[in-house]
């Protein structure tokens, strides 16, 4: 079987229905053969050029890059149903907590009466499940953060609202740090690496609260965003206030509980500091619920947007083809196999 080759073709509409011209292989090209049956992609040296392409105005030179543009209708997964991501968040996070809580209680590792969320994922086997579930939860959270970032950027970049665009970048960074904190909490158990675990918890809840505040402030300045309503903004303000109150309450109650009794993942009701411990744990569960609810408030706005697949950019070196094709725009591809029959396709 001869090595498959890639042809840059279909330079203009008139050539779309024409048979592909296969250039004669040179001695240099024969030396560049790869493994048998392996197609060579753009970026490798073995690139053929159709005669029709040479001199076409569509093959214009670019100094540094060669771009392959995808169709505007090429949407990514759930790209036209972005609001579903908020629904997934609202279902996945509570279910994850309930799963590890049920396992920890059934194994007798924690009391049924409101342990800390991380206490339900401290000991094996629930710790393994807890870490994996929170890794996926962090990914889902980052997905929400990315969609929101792209949504605001697409709305205000054309009109150059620099203040909002800067705040959007700050919110994006805070959101990614929040998602990272969630992953850290799941992978660094408090009984193993307590310092890292606490840092992750502050990132998840503390920076998460900052993200909510920044997004709420931006929402008040962005009534033009499709799907945004005053009612949603009021809900976000309420969630931010509640999240802050319970965050402070959790810190105070945790300190008072640990003063009376050294922290333990299993607290008995008759032990000193149990009441304060209960206030702290309930506050933590409520904070997690509030942050999830905040992401859900993006539901209506996400319905008004869609995401297309990211653009793929190829950097083609000048020596891979003829001089006329140095840094040109790829508008289509042609794959030529053993039988020298061209089959139109595109890069994945």
């Amino acid at each position: 079987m001869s090595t498959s080759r890639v042809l840059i073709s279909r330079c203009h509409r008139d050539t779309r229905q024409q048979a592909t011209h296969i250039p004669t292989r040179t001695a240099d090209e024969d030396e560049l053969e790869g493994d048998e049956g392996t197609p060579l992609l753009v970026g490798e040296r073995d690139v053929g050029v159709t005669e029709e392409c040479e001199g076409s105005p569509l093959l214009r030179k670019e100094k540094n890059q060669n771009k392959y543009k995808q169709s505007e209708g090429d949407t990514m997964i759930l790209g036209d149903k972005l609001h579903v991501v908020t629904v997934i968040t609202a279902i996945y996070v509570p279910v994850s907590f309930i799963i590890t809580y049920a396992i920890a209680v059934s194994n007798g590792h924690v009391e049924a009466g409101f342990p800390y969320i991380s206490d339900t994922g401290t000991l094996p086997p629930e710790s393994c499940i807890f870490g994996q579930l929170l890794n996926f939860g962090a990914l889902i959270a980052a997905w929400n953060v990315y969609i929101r970032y792209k949504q605001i950027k697409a709305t205000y970049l054309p009109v150059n609202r620099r203040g909002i665009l800067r705040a959007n970048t700050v919110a994006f960074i805070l959101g990614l740090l929040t998602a990272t904190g969630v992953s850290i909490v799941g992978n660094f158990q408090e009984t193993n690496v307590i310092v890292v675990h606490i840092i992750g918890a502050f990132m998840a809840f503390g920076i998460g609260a900052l993200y909510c505040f920044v997004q709420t402030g931006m929402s008040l300045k962005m009534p033009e965003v499709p799907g945004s309503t005053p009612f949603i903004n009021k809900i976000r303000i309420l969630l931010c206030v509640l999240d802050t109150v319970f965050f402070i309450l959790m810190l105070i109650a945790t300190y008072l509980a640990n003063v009376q009794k050294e922290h333990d993942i299993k607290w008995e009701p008759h032990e000193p500091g149990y009441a304060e411990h209960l206030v702290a744990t309930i506050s933590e569960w409520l904070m997690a619920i509030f942050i999830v609810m905040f992401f859900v408030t993006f539901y209506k706005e996400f319905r008004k947007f869609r995401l297309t697949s990211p653009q793929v950019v190829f950097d083609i070196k000048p020596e891979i083809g003829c001089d006329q094709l140095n840094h040109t725009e790829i508008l289509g591809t042609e794959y030529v196999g053993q039988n020298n029959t061209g089959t139109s396709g595109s890069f994945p």
Side-chain angles (χ1 to χ4, degrees), residues 27-39:
D28 291 338
E29 289 175 324
D30 291 334
E31 293 177 0
L32 297 173
E33 288 186 336
D35 296 335
E36 182 175 357
T38 303

PDB file of all heavy atoms in Angstrom, residues 27-39:
ATOM      1  N   ALA A  27      11.667  12.525  -6.263  1.00  0.00           N
ATOM      2  CA  ALA A  27      12.550  11.675  -5.472  1.00  0.00           C
ATOM      3  C   ALA A  27      12.570  12.110  -4.021  1.00  0.00           C
ATOM      4  O   ALA A  27      12.631  11.293  -3.105  1.00  0.00           O
ATOM      5  CB  ALA A  27      13.978  11.716  -6.058  1.00  0.00           C
ATOM      6  N   ASP A  28      12.504  13.442  -3.812  1.00  0.00           N
ATOM      7  CA  ASP A  28      12.500  13.935  -2.439  1.00  0.00           C
ATOM      8  C   ASP A  28      11.247  13.489  -1.697  1.00  0.00           C
ATOM      9  O   ASP A  28      11.279  13.170  -0.519  1.00  0.00           O
ATOM     10  CB  ASP A  28      12.582  15.473  -2.421  1.00  0.00           C
ATOM     11  CG  ASP A  28      13.954  15.951  -2.889  1.00  0.00           C
ATOM     12  OD1 ASP A  28      14.902  15.141  -2.810  1.00  0.00           O
ATOM     13  OD2 ASP A  28      14.038  17.112  -3.316  1.00  0.00           O
ATOM     14  N   GLU A  29      10.122  13.479  -2.414  1.00  0.00           N
ATOM     15  CA  GLU A  29       8.881  13.071  -1.793  1.00  0.00           C
ATOM     16  C   GLU A  29       8.909  11.603  -1.425  1.00  0.00           C
ATOM     17  O   GLU A  29       8.354  11.185  -0.412  1.00  0.00           O
ATOM     18  CB  GLU A  29       7.697  13.369  -2.711  1.00  0.00           C
ATOM     19  CG  GLU A  29       7.375  14.851  -2.843  1.00  0.00           C
ATOM     20  CD  GLU A  29       6.272  15.093  -3.844  1.00  0.00           C
ATOM     21  OE1 GLU A  29       6.238  14.359  -4.854  1.00  0.00           O
ATOM     22  OE2 GLU A  29       5.465  16.001  -3.617  1.00  0.00           O
ATOM     23  N   ASP A  30       9.546  10.780  -2.302  1.00  0.00           N
ATOM     24  CA  ASP A  30       9.619   9.356  -2.019  1.00  0.00           C
ATOM     25  C   ASP A  30      10.398   9.078  -0.755  1.00  0.00           C
ATOM     26  O   ASP A  30      10.147   8.099  -0.056  1.00  0.00           O
ATOM     27  CB  ASP A  30      10.268   8.619  -3.205  1.00  0.00           C
ATOM     28  CG  ASP A  30       9.359   8.618  -4.417  1.00  0.00           C
ATOM     29  OD1 ASP A  30       8.130   8.707  -4.224  1.00  0.00           O
ATOM     30  OD2 ASP A  30       9.883   8.532  -5.524  1.00  0.00           O
ATOM     31  N   GLU A  31      11.346   9.948  -0.444  1.00  0.00           N
ATOM     32  CA  GLU A  31      12.149   9.749   0.749  1.00  0.00           C
ATOM     33  C   GLU A  31      11.372  10.105   2.009  1.00  0.00           C
ATOM     34  O   GLU A  31      11.802   9.773   3.116  1.00  0.00           O
ATOM     35  CB  GLU A  31      13.405  10.628   0.687  1.00  0.00           C
ATOM     36  CG  GLU A  31      14.364  10.192  -0.410  1.00  0.00           C
ATOM     37  CD  GLU A  31      15.570  11.125  -0.487  1.00  0.00           C
ATOM     38  OE1 GLU A  31      15.618  12.081   0.313  1.00  0.00           O
ATOM     39  OE2 GLU A  31      16.441  10.871  -1.333  1.00  0.00           O
ATOM     40  N   LEU A  32      10.243  10.790   1.843  1.00  0.00           N
ATOM     41  CA  LEU A  32       9.486  11.250   2.995  1.00  0.00           C
ATOM     42  C   LEU A  32       8.347  10.330   3.354  1.00  0.00           C
ATOM     43  O   LEU A  32       7.456  10.701   4.104  1.00  0.00           O
ATOM     44  CB  LEU A  32       8.918  12.662   2.716  1.00  0.00           C
ATOM     45  CG  LEU A  32       9.981  13.726   2.495  1.00  0.00           C
ATOM     46  CD1 LEU A  32       9.321  15.013   2.068  1.00  0.00           C
ATOM     47  CD2 LEU A  32      10.784  13.921   3.770  1.00  0.00           C
ATOM     48  N   GLU A  33       8.297   9.133   2.790  1.00  0.00           N
ATOM     49  CA  GLU A  33       7.218   8.201   3.066  1.00  0.00           C
ATOM     50  C   GLU A  33       7.213   7.827   4.540  1.00  0.00           C
ATOM     51  O   GLU A  33       8.247   7.573   5.139  1.00  0.00           O
ATOM     52  CB  GLU A  33       7.353   6.947   2.218  1.00  0.00           C
ATOM     53  CG  GLU A  33       7.027   7.190   0.735  1.00  0.00           C
ATOM     54  CD  GLU A  33       7.042   5.887  -0.043  1.00  0.00           C
ATOM     55  OE1 GLU A  33       7.714   4.962   0.425  1.00  0.00           O
ATOM     56  OE2 GLU A  33       6.392   5.821  -1.074  1.00  0.00           O
ATOM     57  N   GLY A  34       6.023   7.766   5.134  1.00  0.00           N
ATOM     58  CA  GLY A  34       5.897   7.360   6.528  1.00  0.00           C
ATOM     59  C   GLY A  34       5.550   5.890   6.612  1.00  0.00           C
ATOM     60  O   GLY A  34       5.816   5.100   5.707  1.00  0.00           O
ATOM     61  N   ASP A  35       4.937   5.527   7.735  1.00  0.00           N
ATOM     62  CA  ASP A  35       4.524   4.151   7.916  1.00  0.00           C
ATOM     63  C   ASP A  35       3.443   3.800   6.914  1.00  0.00           C
ATOM     64  O   ASP A  35       2.638   4.618   6.505  1.00  0.00           O
ATOM     65  CB  ASP A  35       3.970   3.954   9.338  1.00  0.00           C
ATOM     66  CG  ASP A  35       5.063   4.197  10.364  1.00  0.00           C
ATOM     67  OD1 ASP A  35       6.245   4.033   9.987  1.00  0.00           O
ATOM     68  OD2 ASP A  35       4.717   4.556  11.502  1.00  0.00           O
ATOM     69  N   GLU A  36       3.391   2.536   6.579  1.00  0.00           N
ATOM     70  CA  GLU A  36       2.452   2.080   5.558  1.00  0.00           C
ATOM     71  C   GLU A  36       1.021   2.316   6.033  1.00  0.00           C
ATOM     72  O   GLU A  36       0.643   1.941   7.142  1.00  0.00           O
ATOM     73  CB  GLU A  36       2.658   0.585   5.323  1.00  0.00           C
ATOM     74  CG  GLU A  36       1.748   0.037   4.217  1.00  0.00           C
ATOM     75  CD  GLU A  36       2.052  -1.420   3.925  1.00  0.00           C
ATOM     76  OE1 GLU A  36       2.990  -1.951   4.532  1.00  0.00           O
ATOM     77  OE2 GLU A  36       1.349  -1.997   3.101  1.00  0.00           O
ATOM     78  N   GLY A  37       0.245   2.925   5.163  1.00  0.00           N
ATOM     79  CA  GLY A  37      -1.153   3.153   5.455  1.00  0.00           C
ATOM     80  C   GLY A  37      -1.433   4.337   6.348  1.00  0.00           C
ATOM     81  O   GLY A  37      -2.558   4.585   6.706  1.00  0.00           O
ATOM     82  N   THR A  38      -0.409   5.080   6.723  1.00  0.00           N
ATOM     83  CA  THR A  38      -0.605   6.225   7.619  1.00  0.00           C
ATOM     84  C   THR A  38      -0.712   7.505   6.810  1.00  0.00           C
ATOM     85  O   THR A  38       0.211   7.865   6.093  1.00  0.00           O
ATOM     86  CB  THR A  38       0.575   6.349   8.594  1.00  0.00           C
ATOM     87  OG1 THR A  38       0.694   5.128   9.319  1.00  0.00           O
ATOM     88  CG2 THR A  38       0.327   7.504   9.566  1.00  0.00           C
ATOM     89  N   PRO A  39      -1.847   8.205   6.875  1.00  0.00           N
ATOM     90  CA  PRO A  39      -1.981   9.457   6.128  1.00  0.00           C
ATOM     91  C   PRO A  39      -1.102  10.525   6.714  1.00  0.00           C
ATOM     92  O   PRO A  39      -0.922  10.599   7.926  1.00  0.00           O
ATOM     93  CB  PRO A  39      -3.465   9.802   6.297  1.00  0.00           C
ATOM     94  CG  PRO A  39      -3.862   9.145   7.562  1.00  0.00           C
ATOM     95  CD  PRO A  39      -3.032   7.895   7.665  1.00  0.00           C
TER      96      PRO A  39
END
